[in-house]
Amino acid sequence: MIAIFHPIINPPAFDTSQSNRSATNMKNYLLHLGYYSAKDSIVFDTLLWNKQQRVTVKYLINAGIPTLIDTFRYLLKKPNLQAIALQTAKNSFVVQ
């Protein structure tokens, strides 16, 4: 196996807005899984390594308790739509 290393002359500067966006994306992912009260925090740490400054980022995500749906009903204001919803409920992906 041959390893080729190419040094980066001017590496990009660390941008905290990208880290905040990543944390928001993680919270949104948990939201779609039913974790409506997820909390996030980000810890930045700057290290000196071989005369270079390096940044480490830790994302701390507390998902909390998921919201589970145990009851599902159709309550539509228009009677004809209510009848259609009840007639086609057996073809739905929702398990009753």
Side-chain angles (χ1 to χ4, degrees):
M1 183 166 122
I2 299 173
I4 300 174
F5 295 99
H6 177 70
I8 300 174
I9 305 301
N10 294 320
F14 176 69
D15 186 7
T16 57
S17 66
Q18 294 297 325
S19 296
N20 291 330
R21 182 181 293 176
S22 294
T24 301
N25 288 341
M26 289 183 220
K27 279 182 62 176
N28 288 338
Y29 177 71
L30 289 172
L31 178 72
H32 292 292
L33 293 177
Y35 294 92
Y36 297 123
S37 60
K39 307 284 185 219
D40 68 337
S41 63
I42 306 172
V43 178
F44 305 106
D45 190 18
T46 306
L47 305 171
L48 191 61
W49 186 77
N50 287 345
K51 298 181 184 178
Q52 297 176 348
Q53 280 190 330
R54 303 269 174 120
V55 177
T56 59
V57 181
K58 291 182 185 178
Y59 296 96
L60 305 172
I61 308 292
N62 182 3
I65 299 172
T67 301
L68 301 176
I69 299 171
D70 69 353
T71 305
F72 182 84
R73 294 190 307 180
Y74 294 103
L75 296 174
L76 303 172
K77 291 182 181 180
K78 295 188 177 185
N80 56 346
L81 293 178
Q82 179 73 24
I84 292 171
L86 293 176
Q87 289 171 359
T88 60
K90 62 183 173 289
N91 299 331
S92 172
F93 290 111
V94 178
V95 179
Q96 294 184 8

